Amino acid sequence: MTAGVGADGARVLDLGAGWPRLTSGPVTAMSGLAVPAVEAQDREPDETGGQTPRALRRARRRRAAQEAAEQRYRQRLARQNSAEAVPHRGAPGVGGGRVAALDPPAMWRATTVQACGLWPFASGSGAPMTGVPLGQHISTGATVCGDPLNWFTRARYISNPSLFMLGMPGLGKSTLINRMLIGLAGQGVVPLVLGDLKPDYADTVRALGGQVISIARGVGGLNVLDPGAMGAAAARIGGQAGEALAAESHGRVLNMVAALLTIVRGAPISDHEQSVLSACLRHLRERTAPGRTYRLPDLLAVLEEGPPQVRQVTLDRGQESRYRDAVDPLHRSLLGIVDGPLGDTFAAETATRIDPDATAVCIDISRIGEADGQLTAAAMLAAWSDGLGTVSASHALADAGIAPRRWFFTVLDELWRPLRAASGIVDRIDALTRLNRSLGLADAKITHTLKDAEALGSEADKAKARGFVERAGMVACAGLPRAEMEELARVVGLSRREIDLVSSWSSPAGWAQDGGNEEPPGRGRFLIKVGGRPGIPIRVAITDAERHLHDTNTRWIANGDAERMLAERAAVVRAVTAGDLPGTGQR
């Protein structure tokens, strides 16, 4: 400590003399402890009860932080509840809506000593709940939902939106497909039954407000040269996209005429004849006014006339005889269609066109006789050509932004019959099973056994038909004999227990029945297989409305009961169409 003299001459003691500079600042000279600045020190309330400025600032910062946290929480909730954040789940129709997924349950881990009452785990795996409700799990009683379209688009269970179903007659195969058809129609999907042979689905399509088109002699025909929905869509779209669609419709018409000629001849046409047909169709399209159609007699007239662009293809070199030699075989075959057994059905104007905006479409060919194989094959080919053309037109309009995007579900029941009718059907179905993902449609194929493919004419067709099962995303089995299940196990991969289960459904009931209304043991029971996963055995119980709309045993009902059943079915169709469903009961 030293003494000094102040400005006023007074003596001042310097208490910090001898200590380092700034020692009495942030760090004390005695202890070396850090002393916070004045504004950073906490203060007790002053004598008046108020807080110091430091405490007030801290309180304001705490309140601001709480308000900011609440604001961030509200913004996060708003983003989670926005229309873009909610996943696309649920039916898009009236009364539907999108539903967010539930949070996953908490997972816990324990030793076998701690969880001795739960181990070993005996509970079964959960049943799939995505898609159309099909029935109950036979073992657990849980509800099982599924269909090829929802399992492909939403659940991602399968990589190909297709279903192949096998089973003995009378066990409910078409009933299960009918359930899927109704459920998918309620979700906005358009069912297409392109060739109903019994019919099994006509009444259901009528009840859904759809379109039923009949093809048979004296009932209704189909102009195979009519571009249909594709031609109308091409004119509506216009530009380069419209020209591309028109060219595609030209190729579809050409393939259909070639298929008819193959059916009549019993052998494929040559490449030279296809070139002549293409030139004739192009000439007809150029000289026909927009909005008008041409028919097979017009095609014959072009061949008879021989315009320059057609003669150029035949290489006649200006000689009439060379031209006639080139086109006469094709001319004779076309005359066989027009004046033969197929002329009444395919040479006239289309009786009813497919409505692109229909909720469902069924092309009914059940009035064609069982023995008329040529007409059945031609009707199936024409129905598939027209139906898939409508699908292509719908997607083209959606791509152009003119119409909304629509999905389709095609049904091919009694697969064995169209496969045997014509080899062209095998190729068309083979292409469909490979390209249905790009076509925007799911499909269901129904037959009895794998041996149906063995009855085809050529080894190539047999190989293609066997590939239908291998490429199917879903395989559903009703009651089948053990030998058939062993054969199917080589393709699908069935366990011994699954083979025993499905084989038991095909066994006849015991002899001790009283002759009442007992049903076969396998009716309404199915095993659904997806890849190598364990099969899902289900039991389907139909409602009264479904029973009236889908009954394949109407010919075995006595006359008095037949009229009553038909009247009840008509009443159900009217009620379903009007949206006034009667009370339903389970069977």
Side-chain angles (χ1 to χ4, degrees):
M1 179 177 64
T2 59
V5 180
D8 53 356
R11 187 177 180 181
V12 179
L13 295 178
D14 185 4
L15 300 179
W19 291 98
R21 184 177 177 82
L22 300 177
T23 301
S24 60
V27 180
T28 62
M30 302 288 296
S31 64
L33 297 177
V35 179
V38 176
E39 60 273 9
Q41 298 179 11
D42 292 331
R43 300 291 183 181
E44 295 295 331
D46 57 17
E47 297 178 355
T48 61
Q51 295 290 333
T52 61
R54 169 60 182 165
L56 293 175
R57 285 193 297 271
R58 294 189 63 183
R60 286 196 296 270
R61 283 196 296 267
R62 284 196 297 268
R63 286 196 300 271
Q66 292 175 356
E67 292 175 358
E70 293 178 358
Q71 180 66 20
R72 289 193 299 269
Y73 178 71
R74 287 193 295 269
Q75 292 175 354
R76 186 167 62 253
L77 287 182
R79 287 194 301 269
Q80 292 176 353
N81 295 327
S82 63
E84 292 77 11
V86 179
H88 294 270
R89 301 171 182 265
V94 178
R98 295 187 293 177
V99 182
L102 297 176
D103 292 333
M107 302 294 293
W108 301 90
R109 179 177 295 180
T111 65
T112 54
V113 175
Q114 295 169 321
C116 56
L118 301 175
W119 180 264
F121 300 119
S123 61
S125 60
M129 293 293 291
T130 303
V132 177
L134 301 179
Q136 290 182 309
H137 197 289
I138 291 179
S139 302
T140 65
T143 300
V144 177
C145 302
D147 59 82
L149 194 146
N150 282 289
W151 279 17
F152 173 74
T153 58
R154 295 171 57 195
R156 307 284 179 167
Y157 293 152
I158 57 179
S159 59
N160 187 16
S162 62
L163 166 67
F164 198 94
M165 181 174 292
L166 302 100
M168 299 300 289
L171 297 184
K173 300 185 299 298
S174 56
T175 300
L176 180 61
I177 298 299
N178 200 65
R179 169 72 61 84
M180 292 184 184
L181 186 148
I182 295 173
L184 288 173
Q187 298 179 17
V189 180
V190 181
L192 299 175
V193 185
L194 303 177
D196 198 351
L197 292 159
K198 289 186 179 179
D200 282 337
Y201 307 95
D203 289 335
T204 301
V205 170
R206 290 191 185 96
L208 293 173
Q211 184 184 28
V212 178
I213 302 173
S214 297
I215 297 179
R217 291 191 181 92
V219 177
L222 182 62
N223 180 12
V224 294
L225 303 187
D226 187 356
M230 293 186 70
R236 187 177 177 185
I237 295 173
Q240 186 176 0
E243 293 177 359
L245 189 61
E248 183 180 351
S249 67
H250 171 81
R252 190 177 295 274
V253 170
L254 175 62
N255 291 335
M256 186 61 222
V257 178
L260 285 181
L261 291 171
T262 300
I263 293 173
V264 171
R265 290 184 177 181
I269 66 174
S270 65
D271 55 348
H272 166 70
E273 290 174 325
Q274 283 191 347
S275 300
V276 174
L277 277 177
S278 179
C280 292
L281 292 173
R282 191 175 295 109
H283 176 74
L284 277 175
R285 187 178 62 179
E286 291 173 355
R287 75 176 190 180
T288 303
R292 299 180 62 87
T293 59
Y294 38 88
R295 300 177 292 114
L296 285 177
D298 301 324
L299 183 61
L300 281 172
V302 173
L303 277 179
E304 182 66 28
E305 175 188 352
Q309 60 182 2
V310 177
R311 290 179 179 269
Q312 183 180 3
V313 176
T314 62
L315 301 178
D316 65 331
R317 295 183 174 87
Q319 300 179 19
E320 183 68 19
S321 59
R322 289 176 60 90
Y323 173 75
R324 294 303 169 188
D325 291 340
V327 301
D328 278 352
L330 182 61
H331 200 160
R332 282 192 295 268
S333 298
L334 287 173
L335 283 173
I337 296 177
V338 175
D339 298 332
L342 305 181
D344 294 341
T345 308
F346 300 106
E349 289 290 347
T350 301
T352 305
R353 286 188 176 185
I354 295 180
D355 183 7
D357 298 324
T359 57
V361 177
C362 174
I363 299 182
D364 181 7
I365 61 174
S366 61
R367 300 189 186 185
I368 300 176
E370 294 286 338
D372 202 342
Q374 276 194 348
L375 184 56
T376 300
M380 289 290 297
L381 285 171
W384 277 86
S385 178
D386 200 15
L388 295 182
T390 304
V391 172
S392 299
S394 176
H395 290 316
L397 291 173
D399 293 339
I402 300 176
R405 179 74 64 189
R406 307 178 79 190
W407 291 343
F408 300 85
F409 178 61
T410 60
V411 177
L412 182 56
D413 204 345
E414 301 294 337
L415 181 64
W416 62 272
R417 188 174 174 188
L419 288 181
R420 299 178 188 179
S423 60
I425 286 288
V426 181
D427 294 329
R428 189 170 295 275
I429 299 174
D430 180 65
L432 178 65
T433 59
R434 299 174 187 271
L435 302 175
N436 52 354
R437 289 181 301 165
S438 59
L439 293 176
L441 57 87
D443 69 273
K445 296 176 286 294
I446 312 171
T447 190
H448 297 140
T449 66
L450 289 178
K451 293 182 174 62
D452 292 335
E454 301 300 326
L456 299 179
S458 65
E459 290 298 328
D461 287 347
K462 293 179 183 179
K464 294 173 187 175
R466 286 192 293 267
F468 296 162
V469 186
E470 298 173 353
R471 290 190 299 273
M474 301 170 58
V475 176
C477 304
L480 287 170
R482 181 173 294 275
E484 182 67 22
M485 292 300 298
E486 297 284 354
E487 182 71 20
L488 183 62
R490 299 188 182 96
V491 180
V492 179
L494 300 169
S495 66
R496 179 56 53 184
R497 186 169 184 178
E498 291 171 344
I499 293 175
D500 295 339
L501 177 64
V502 179
S503 300
S504 67
W505 295 340
S506 64
S507 303
W511 297 109
Q513 294 189 101
D514 59 3
N517 293 323
E518 291 87 355
E519 293 185 348
R523 177 170 292 176
R525 296 170 184 259
F526 302 91
L527 178 71
I528 300 177
K529 288 285 293 183
V530 175
R533 299 181 182 179
I536 305 173
I538 65 172
R539 180 190 300 109
V540 179
I542 63 174
T543 62
D544 289 337
E546 289 176 297
R547 186 180 300 112
H548 287 297
L549 292 175
H550 185 78
D551 187 0
T552 58
N553 295 325
T554 54
R555 296 294 176 89
W556 293 92
I557 301 175
N559 288 336
D561 293 333
E563 283 82 6
R564 177 180 58 81
M565 292 289 293
L566 290 176
E568 292 179 355
R569 176 178 294 188
V572 170
V573 171
R574 290 193 299 270
V576 174
T577 305
D580 185 15
L581 285 173
T584 58
Q586 297 289 328
R587 183 174 71 174

